[in-house]
Amino acid sequence: MIETVSLPELGENILTGVVVNILVALGEAVVIDQGVIEIETDKAVVEVPSPIAGIVSGIHVAEGDEVNVGEVIISVELAKAVEDEKESSETKEEMRVEPDDESPQVPDADASPPTPSSTDSHVSPARTKETLEPVKTATPNQEVAPAAPSVRRFAREVGIDINGVAGSGPGGRISMEDVKNHIRTSSDKSAGLASPGLKEGVALPDFTKWGDIEKIPMSMVRKKTAGHLSQAWQMVPQVTQFDQADMTGMEQFRKTYGEKVRGAGGKLTVTAIMVKIVASALKVFPDLNASVDMQRQEIIYKKYVHIGVAVDTDRGLLVPVIKNADKLDLIDIAIQLSDLATRARAGKLTLADMQGGNFTISNLGGIGGTAFTPIVNWPEVAILGVSRSFETQCHACGQSTNDQHKSGLMLPLSLSYDHRIIDGANGARFLSWIKEAIEQPLLIVLGSS
Ligand code: CAO
């Protein structure tokens, strides 16, 4: 018996991905949980495991294809043992098969089982769980959209409410194609929302009039970055505040304790220290650890401190998140940051690694530049930019180390914030606190009252 494996759900609001690697070949044996393809979403490269064991009898996608959740990716000729087990579980399944619902139905104990088909579709291990869940049946008064069980199941698997799909068949019956069209239109709409002006765009001149050109389709990460930043730029009225902190003492600290942190498996970087300082600052300034809900006219204060760190990778900008950074010591932060940055560059971040951030830090200092204005990573309300440190003459450098030197190493800071809920004075206070904590690190243990 041949079964198909479909693209499983990849995460909240993720409906498609691009195939970057096919990990199996025709005729190859696959075991349960063996990776069959690698798929790139806007967040990460994810390996899709096979939920069944057998011999690969068909590969229905190619590298570079954009695939929708629920679309078939490979076919597998079932291994004998699996077939036997499946047959026995199918017998049980047939006892409570979902009714074909042209009209609302209540469960009918006498309903005859459907004709067994020679092919079936697998989406993911999650599918197994779903089949074990009780089958939902309509209450007699409930209107049910007309669709075959397979169409209904597909809609459920891709997270679409079948009642919202317009059916093109007789009596408004919904086909598989209708659901796919619905996905396409809704993802176009959300792409439109995420990237105003990106899809419809403005017609460009014909550049070939002036010389040779090459056109390359945007990668998934680039599309999402472009869409997300356009949205953030349009939605958030933002202001950027600048300052400089004397980091001479911080550099001495990094030299003194770098080896100890390396021994623990991390790297005591400028960014790791900034994560620790910002996490402490957010406890003192909860306004910057919030989101604005304009629909409900509410400000959402988060009681947790999850900090995103911008990481420059070959695939583009990725922002993994250090969770509960306020509860971690500096060594733990350094270890987590090294791990996240390494996995970001290797395309090995999980979706969970990228979600839930409340505030972002973007350190471009290792690359260069005197200052920049980072864009608030909406729905967060503030982002801290860190630029390249520089030596300067100063009057009061080194106060933190009691080493009153004539020149100091200054760290340029730029805080962009959402002016809807953060007033300029609060933004300036927050950044001053950060500057002071770099110079007087004991501030972070002082407390906020
Ligand atoms: N000023 C001067 N030098 C700096 C610095 C700064 N602000 N920040 C880092 N450096 C130096 C470090 O000292 C290190 O040098 P050594 O190896 O000699 O110590 C070197 O730059 C590399 O730093 P790193 O990458 O090891 O560590 P990091 O924590 O400072 O940075 C990370 C980690 C992941 C933030 C960084 O690698 C990165 O990807 N930065 C780019 C972020 C980005 O793209 N931002 C733009 C987003 S759009 O707003």
Side-chain angles (χ1 to χ4, degrees), residues 109-182:
D110 298 330
S112 49
T115 324
S117 95
S118 62
T119 58
D120 199 357
S121 170
H122 277 254
V123 278
S124 71
R127 168 83 192 287
T128 314
K129 178 175 161 277
E130 192 198 339
T131 54
L132 294 172
E133 284 169 3
V135 173
K136 290 193 184 87
T137 48
T139 56
N141 294 332
Q142 195 180 335
E143 283 263 330
V144 176
S150 54
V151 175
R152 208 169 269 293
R153 185 186 307 141
F154 173 69
R156 230 185 4 251
E157 284 165 357
V158 295
I160 297 288
D161 176 6
I162 192 111
N163 297 310
V165 178
S168 59
R173 189 170 175 81
I174 300 163
S175 67
M176 197 69 99
E177 208 40 48
D178 293 332
V179 179
K180 286 184 182 168
N181 280 337
H182 184 88

Side-chain angles (χ1 to χ4, degrees), residues 247 251 254 267 269-272 309-313 317 337 341 345 361-367 372-375 383 386-389 411-412:
M247 67 178 299
E251 282 305 272
R254 288 211 310 133
K267 188 178 173 196
T269 61
V270 174
T271 311
V309 175
V311 179
D312 174 42
T313 77
L317 171 66
L337 181 56
R345 292 187 170 123
I361 297 176
S362 174
N363 179 10
L364 282 172
I367 301 169
F372 69 108
T373 54
I375 296 178
I383 178 169
V386 181
S387 297
R388 169 154 271 182
S389 58
L411 187 65

Side-chain angles (χ1 to χ4, degrees), residues 411-441:
L411 187 65
L413 304 169
S414 44
L415 175 79
S416 297
Y417 56 85
D418 188 332
H419 213 348
R420 290 176 301 177
I421 63 157
I422 299 163
D423 296 333
N426 237 11
R429 280 188 204 104
F430 180 83
L431 195 55
S432 297
W433 197 99
I434 300 273
K435 168 189 159 73
E436 211 179 325
I438 293 170
E439 296 173 352
Q440 300 279 353

Side-chain angles (χ1 to χ4, degrees), residues 177-347:
E177 208 40 48
D178 293 332
V179 179
K180 286 184 182 168
N181 280 337
H182 184 88
I183 295 171
R184 255 173 244 128
T185 2
S186 38
S187 65
D188 282 357
K189 274 190 205 139
S190 66
L193 175 75
S195 49
L198 189 78
K199 279 226 139 193
E200 62 277 22
V202 177
L204 293 175
D206 175 11
F207 296 109
T208 58
K209 285 193 288 193
W210 300 293
D212 289 344
I213 60 162
E214 186 188 1
K215 292 184 184 178
I216 298 173
M218 281 187 183
S219 71
M220 204 71 170
V221 172
R222 179 59 53 211
K223 278 192 228 171
K224 293 289 178 179
T225 303
H228 182 66
L229 289 176
S230 301
Q231 185 184 26
W233 185 251
Q234 295 204 354
M235 289 189 63
V236 182
Q238 35 196 307
V239 175
T240 306
Q241 164 94 19
F242 299 93
D243 211 335
Q244 292 174 356
D246 178 3
M247 67 178 299
T248 315
M250 187 206 272
E251 282 305 272
Q252 281 176 8
F253 174 81
R254 288 211 310 133
K255 279 200 190 92
T256 309
Y257 294 102
E259 208 44 58
K260 182 178 165 83
V261 178
R262 210 183 310 278
K267 188 178 173 196
L268 188 52
T269 61
V270 174
T271 311
I273 297 175
M274 293 311 298
V275 169
K276 181 71 197 166
I277 291 175
V278 166
S280 306
L282 291 174
K283 305 290 277 185
V284 184
F285 297 89
D287 284 357
L288 286 96
N289 197 36
S291 285
V292 191
D293 186 340
M294 290 307 284
Q295 277 183 351
R296 293 171 187 268
Q297 306 277 294
E298 283 172 355
I299 298 170
I300 302 158
Y301 292 97
K302 293 143 190 184
K303 304 292 181 194
Y304 50 87
V305 178
H306 299 343
I307 297 187
V309 175
V311 179
D312 174 42
T313 77
D314 288 348
R315 299 166 50 232
L317 171 66
L318 295 174
V319 187
V321 175
I322 298 183
K323 306 277 169 26
N324 299 309
D326 57 324
K327 299 196 170 68
L328 301 176
D329 64 30
L330 186 48
I331 292 184
D332 287 334
I333 291 175
I335 293 169
Q336 283 201 23
L337 181 56
S338 303
D339 171 57
L340 288 169
T342 306
R343 287 195 289 120
R345 292 187 170 123

